[in-house]
Amino acid sequence: MSENKATINLAGKSVEMPILDGTIGPSVVDIGKLLSQTGVFTFDPGFLSTASCESKITYIDGDEGILLHRGYPIEQLAENGDFLETCYLLLHGELPTAAEKADFDYRITRHTMIHEQMAIFYRGFRRDAHPMAVVCGVVGALSAFYHDSTDINDPYQRMVASMRLIAKMPTIAAMAYKYNVGQPFVYPKNDLDYASNFLNMCFAVPCEEYKVNPILARALDRIFILHADHEQNASTSTVRLAGSTGANPFACIAAGVAALWGPAHGGANEICLRMLEEIGTVDRIPEFIARAKDKNDPFRLMGFGHRVYKNYDPRAKIMQKTCHEVLSELGIKDDPLLDVAMELERIALSDEYFIERKLYPNVDFYSGITLKAMGFPLTMFTVLFAVARTVGWISQWQEMIEDPNQKIGRPRQLYTGPGSRDFIPISKR
Ligand code: SDX
């Protein structure tokens, strides 16, 4: 390419577009003036080659299997810190000092309760409603209660809304679970850390003292770290697009929850476990591998493949290690699901179809086995993903709002419908 410019020759015209370089990763061709200079759009359904924004938060190298949050490798964050430290990093851009961390933990801990009247919302749902449906509704309803943090032009209110969302998501999620199983809601406890508090709100009952298992709490905290943010994935892009209209932060996060629910995205952890249960035993794996390869069969190997990772998802490696830790802590020696998962991974990674298409296990492949072992029902898996991803969504939302060049997102299209034609009265049709 010429120095920092790309030349497009179109309809006898030669148009130069600036090339912008990032700190690391692919450069971009700024096509903002393409329409005005050539009268054509670019066309990229699914955004395979399109950068929707500039961001300083997360970087993924799909070929190398690298994931950085504000420059820090996910492996180091998962190993050395806790989830709230990663939340601080994503929100503020730097790791906190001890004093900043203590203050952040204190403030999050003391925003974990939700308005008491919101508990009434849950009564409006069927007991067997999918918890994601409940969480989506209740998160959107936060904007009906917290009016003092919906002004997106006030930096203070933006930060208050961000802290409230990070703090209240576990409470909302746990209440959805309790409502689903018909048990009384459990209030947050300020003497518990983030993950322990969530376990307590999910599994404590009024009849006896609930003792949080520190190994499981640490594992869950690490699972939250692994799911915190991931560049411009579908749900984050949804939050950004909703936010670009000026919608309040609670409404934007509810939109993110809705987008995450899809089986091709965050819903994959639940569907992946159902797939492993359907496969059932190692000897049935070849039948499912054949189905995954069959173009006429819509079946896909859930937990495999990724739009960006064309190498092993670094989160999946840490997830696999965490899975083994949790199973051994719980004394689960031979989990048939784990046997199927390990054998499925071995076979798939040696099969030409998967090798050629660079389909590796992603973060959702091992998370379901781990969460099931911890006692969560399958329908709560994506809810836990949403709890963790809330910090990523709200950090990206903040970044978008603070971007001086931010404008409403409004993609165009390639129109292939009928040209203009006159109305025909029904008597003549
Ligand atoms: C998440 O974007 C993110 O960052 C998401 C996420 C995050 O943290 O936010 O990482 C979380 O969503 C992880 C992905 C979870 N989804 C799944 O595990 C569902 C199963 N995976 C597939 O649906 C698929 O791999 C996607 C959706 C993840 C990616 O799809 P792409 O990039 O659009 O790729 P594609 O559908 O064009 O597939 C390319 C080829 C096709 O074959 P050909 O047409 O070239 O012959 O690979 C095949 C696909 O049929 N393929 C699969 C497959 N995934 C892709 N074949 C079998 N099983 C699969 N899982």
Side-chain angles (χ1 to χ4, degrees):
M1 285 187 233
S2 67
E3 78 297 330
N4 286 345
K5 283 197 183 338
T7 304
I8 297 176
N9 299 308
L10 201 60
K13 271 196 273 183
S14 175
V15 178
E16 288 206 332
M17 299 278 151
I19 293 176
L20 311 176
D21 300 323
T23 323
I24 37 178
S27 299
V28 298
V29 180
D30 180 348
I31 54 157
K33 293 198 171 45
L34 183 68
L35 178 64
S36 58
Q37 292 184 359
T38 66
V40 302
F41 299 138
T42 57
F43 186 63
D44 185 16
F47 311 114
L48 286 144
S49 306
T50 297
S52 62
C53 63
E54 177 184 338
S55 180
K56 299 176 171 26
I57 299 175
T58 292
Y59 174 72
I60 302 170
D61 181 327
D63 295 329
E64 299 300 320
I66 289 170
L67 168 56
L68 306 177
H69 289 318
R70 302 286 193 180
Y72 295 98
I74 189 68
E75 296 83 356
Q76 295 182 30
L77 292 171
E79 201 52 46
N80 301 308
D82 67 12
F83 177 63
L84 286 187
E85 183 168 64
T86 295
C87 288
Y88 185 97
L89 174 66
L90 289 169
L91 268 176
H92 298 288
E94 296 295 338
L95 289 168
T97 62
E100 287 165 338
K101 177 73 168 54
D103 172 63
F104 188 73
D105 288 3
Y106 180 87
R107 292 194 299 136
I108 291 288
T109 301
R110 278 151 189 80
H111 279 81
T112 47
M113 285 177 73
I114 62 172
H115 191 294
E116 190 62 13
Q117 207 173 307
M118 291 194 78
I120 301 170
F121 272 127
Y122 289 80
R123 306 261 176 271
F125 293 100
R126 285 175 45 152
R127 286 281 179 178
D128 62 351
H130 194 293
M132 277 297 277
V134 176
V135 169
C136 198
V138 175
V139 169
L142 289 169
S143 45
F145 283 84
Y146 297 101
H147 302 125
D148 61 342
S149 59
T150 51
D151 176 359
I152 63 162
N153 300 306
D154 176 349
Y156 173 75
Q157 291 198 29
R158 291 203 299 267
M159 193 43 80
V160 169
S162 303
M163 302 288 281
R164 277 176 165 157
L165 280 157
I166 294 167
K168 297 179 191 309
M169 277 303 269
T171 310
I172 291 168
M175 289 171 75
Y177 169 62
K178 284 305 207 185
Y179 185 72
N180 181 257
V181 295
Q183 290 180 1
F185 298 142
V186 174
Y187 285 96
K189 289 176 72 176
N190 290 353
D191 59 346
L192 294 176
D193 63 59
Y194 196 86
S196 302
N197 202 14
F198 183 68
L199 288 171
N200 188 63
M201 289 191 288
C202 286
F203 299 124
V205 288
C207 335
E208 60 185 28
E209 194 53 32
Y210 177 75
K211 200 157 168 9
V212 175
N213 178 325
I215 307 282
L216 300 190
R218 176 71 190 116
L220 183 60
D221 189 84
R222 193 183 305 140
I223 291 170
F224 285 153
I225 292 172
L226 296 179
H227 289 79
D229 189 50
H230 214 238
E231 274 193 8
Q232 306 313 316
N233 58 84
S235 53
T236 298
S237 300
T238 301
V239 170
R240 278 181 172 261
L241 196 56
S244 75
T245 71
N248 73 71
F250 305 112
C252 296
I253 300 303
V257 173
L260 185 74
W261 196 358
H265 188 15
N269 52 19
E270 173 183 342
I271 313 290
C272 179
L273 204 89
R274 294 188 193 285
M275 174 192 76
L276 293 174
E277 288 177 338
E278 189 186 352
I279 295 173
T281 53
V282 166
D283 61 329
R284 291 195 63 206
I285 290 175
E287 171 196 332
F288 284 82
I289 294 272
R291 283 188 57 196
K293 290 153 71 169
D294 178 357
K295 284 282 153 259
N296 302 318
D297 188 331
F299 173 79
R300 287 200 159 176
L301 221 45
M302 301 313 280
F304 268 81
H306 198 277
R307 170 62 57 76
V308 177
Y309 288 123
K310 300 310 170 194
N311 193 327
Y312 216 102
D313 181 336
R315 302 168 297 175
K317 283 196 183 114
I318 305 168
M319 200 64 246
Q320 188 189 53
K321 177 169 160 272
T322 304
C323 182
H324 286 293
E325 275 173 23
V326 166
L327 294 182
S328 87
E329 170 62 18
L330 295 170
I332 301 173
K333 293 273 176 294
D334 47 359
D335 178 349
L337 287 181
L338 183 62
D339 296 342
V340 170
M342 302 283 283
E343 181 60 6
L344 180 61
E345 178 186 350
R346 187 190 67 73
I347 295 174
L349 296 188
S350 56
D351 182 299
E352 200 39 50
Y353 173 93
F354 294 90
I355 295 169
E356 197 184 298
R357 291 166 180 79
K358 298 184 177 176
L359 303 176
Y360 290 87
N362 57 47
V363 68
D364 294 307
F365 189 62
Y366 286 102
S367 56
I369 299 170
T370 313
L371 297 175
K372 180 171 186 274
M374 293 174 92
F376 293 104
L378 276 60
T379 52
M380 279 295 289
F381 292 1
T382 310
V383 171
L384 269 73
F385 194 151
V387 169
R389 185 52 58 89
T390 294
V391 63
W393 288 331
I394 204 68
S395 300
Q396 300 264 357
W397 172 79
Q398 286 257 35
E399 183 177 65
M400 179 210 55
I401 299 281
E402 288 158 9
D403 179 348
N405 302 318
Q406 187 265 327
K407 49 167 60 67
I408 187 168
R410 205 283 185 209
R412 302 302 301 272
Q413 63 179 12
L414 171 67
Y415 179 69
T416 54
S420 176
R421 52 183 172 165
D422 294 330
F423 184 82
I424 301 163
I426 194 162
S427 56
K428 294 201 168 52
R429 289 177 215 161

